[in-house]
Amino acid sequence: MPGFEIFGEEERREVQEVLDTGVLMRYNFDGPRRGIFKARDFEAELAKRLGAGHAHLVSSGTAALQVMLASCGVGAGDEVIVPTFTFVATVEAVLAAGAAPVFADIDETLCLCPKAAEKAITKRTKAIMPVHMCGSMARIDSLETLCREKGLLLLEDACQAVGATFKGKALGRFGRMGCFSFDYVKTITCGEGGGLITDDADLYFKAQAFSDHGHDHVGQDRGAEGHPFIGLNFRTNEMNAAVGLAQLRKLDTILATQRKNKGILKEALAAHKGVRFREIPDPSGDSATHLSFFMETEDKARALAKALPAHGVDGVFYWYDNNWHYIKKWEHIRKMESLAPLPLELRHDTPDYTGLSHPVSDAIMSRTLSMQIRLGWTQKDLETRIQGIEKAFALI
């Protein structure tokens, strides 16, 4: 997800303005900063771009998830339903909150299946957290209805899907809160960073305070600020925010380029027998960071995963064997390998993750390949890539 491909004078100018003030802290030091507030500007522009009431910038996507869970009151004794296919930070954040992750199968959107999520609900369930994987959306309307009917929190992990929409509404705005990642390999990058959006003013207050040791940020004297509750330090800084601000202003260009390039490759792939594409509930809202498709069998998927790079088609992911994105390889999660006892271990009915089995998800992921979509491809690059795809398919 290649925002880093287009660093330019815009990012340099924003960063230089921060360096010229000498103030890297996002809060206070109002005099020497001379009106330069990059984090605040980023938040205002992100909220406007996504149509959200409030936005808050933090130090990473993982931090955003933790702040979201804390702000929404998810903690010890609670359960959060998560998909089997996600980045492991989704699970880590739930554990860090003191709650227990409950894994539910995906469907051919490559996101959380609403029916599987409903089956996973228990008396301890507090939230359902779908993850909009690889730039596209879950069946967010069905999940929204499910949460409303069951009285559960809908919390969106949209870390991989900034700018994506469902029926014109930004992903991240369907739940009580939504999270994004702005790390180095996301659609837009701060170098390292994350963000939250919400339409709820109270949740916004909690998020901005919790991420800064509980500071309420009332007044202009940091030493005199109140602390209504315990918090942690997930602050961003002005340097990272400056990079992200310039990147955010390029988001529409990035999305348009990704969609064009993806369309060209999808047309080439569609000519091959047996290829089926990932289901996208609203194709017009796809951010197009990846082109994901299914082969007829696991053997064919594995063969193609090897043949494509051998013929110059790089950036192809076979998630089924990936250490950080699919449940099959998460041995440390299965064994709850932690540096210290976890809160969920104090439950009388501590979940046993050692025997996790998800054949429905396995059947999907074992046949799935995802091609990264780059911004910098020339017409020649795309032609060469299509030629490599043709050669790879000829071998399987």
Side-chain angles (χ1 to χ4, degrees), residues 64-306:
L65 290 164
Q66 290 186 251
V67 173
M68 175 173 70
L69 290 164
S71 300
C72 292
V74 177
D78 294 330
E79 292 181 352
V80 179
I81 296 171
V82 297
T84 53
F85 178 43
T86 180
F87 182 58
V88 72
T90 306
V91 182
E92 293 168 338
V94 173
L95 292 170
V102 175
F103 296 97
D105 280 314
I106 60 169
D107 58 24
E108 290 196 351
T109 64
L110 301 184
C111 300
L112 183 64
C113 172
K115 291 181 179 179
E118 184 171 11
K119 289 180 181 178
I121 294 172
T122 73
K123 63 181 181 180
R124 290 183 178 269
T125 304
K126 186 156 188 177
I128 297 177
M129 190 154 65
V131 184
H132 301 295
M133 285 297 290
C134 300
S136 185
M137 73 288 305
R139 300 185 198 279
I140 194 62
D141 53 344
S142 297
L143 290 164
E144 184 181 30
T145 299
L146 174 63
C147 286
R148 184 171 58 251
E149 291 176 348
K150 300 296 184 181
L152 302 174
L153 293 167
L154 176 62
L155 305 177
E156 289 178 80
D157 181 340
C159 285
Q160 296 189 11
V162 67
T165 60
F166 177 74
K167 296 184 178 179
K169 185 176 179 178
L171 299 187
R173 289 194 56 223
F174 290 85
R176 295 294 304 283
M177 300 188 84
C179 291
F180 302 95
S181 173
F182 306 121
D183 73 19
Y184 188 61
V185 290
K186 292 302 186 292
T187 304
I188 58 174
T189 181
C190 292
E192 192 68 75
L196 306 97
I197 58 171
T198 183
D199 290 333
D200 187 314
D202 181 59
L203 289 179
Y204 166 70
F205 173 81
K206 291 175 179 177
Q208 58 86 38
F210 179 81
S211 61
D212 184 24
H213 299 295
H215 278 266
D216 62 12
H217 301 126
V218 175
Q220 295 183 327
D221 181 351
R222 187 169 177 82
E225 289 174 358
H227 296 79
F229 44 74
I230 296 168
L232 293 170
N233 179 7
F234 293 121
R235 291 191 307 265
T236 188
N237 63 74
E238 290 289 274
M239 296 286 280
N240 289 95
V243 173
L245 183 60
Q247 289 265 298
L248 178 58
R249 292 167 180 167
K250 299 177 180 181
L251 178 57
D252 289 335
T253 298
I254 290 171
L255 294 175
T257 303
Q258 287 181 162
R259 287 165 177 163
K260 175 179 69 71
N261 289 344
K262 179 176 178 177
I264 292 170
L265 292 181
K266 185 174 182 179
E267 184 177 354
L269 270 177
H272 293 278
K273 183 180 178 182
V275 170
R276 287 195 307 108
F277 294 100
R278 167 195 193 170
E279 186 174 343
I280 299 178
D282 179 9
S284 65
D286 178 21
S287 70
T289 61
H290 292 80
L291 174 56
S292 299
F293 59 97
F294 309 117
M295 298 298 290
E296 293 173 296
T297 66
E298 177 180 340
D299 288 344
K300 287 187 176 181
R302 288 185 177 277
L304 189 61
K306 292 180 179 180

Side-chain angles (χ1 to χ4, degrees), residues 3 9 20 24 31-32 56 104 146 172-173 184 204 240 257 259 281 311 314 319-320 322 337 340 344 357 371 373:
E9 288 304 315
D20 288 345
L24 308 189
H56 184 59
L146 174 63
R173 289 194 56 223
Y184 188 61
Y204 166 70
N240 289 95
T257 303
R259 287 165 177 163
H311 288 87
D314 61 353
W319 304 111
Y320 194 53
N322 185 281
E337 296 284 0
L344 65 83
S357 177
M371 289 184 175
I373 304 299

Side-chain angles (χ1 to χ4, degrees), residues 18 21-37 40 219-223 225 235 238:
V18 174
T21 69
V23 180
L24 308 189
M25 172 79 166
R26 72 153 297 171
Y27 295 114
N28 303 109
F29 301 98
D30 289 17
R33 73 166 66 242
R34 303 192 300 276
I36 302 297
F37 289 88
R40 191 172 68 186
Q220 295 183 327
D221 181 351
R222 187 169 177 82
E225 289 174 358
R235 291 191 307 265
E238 290 289 274

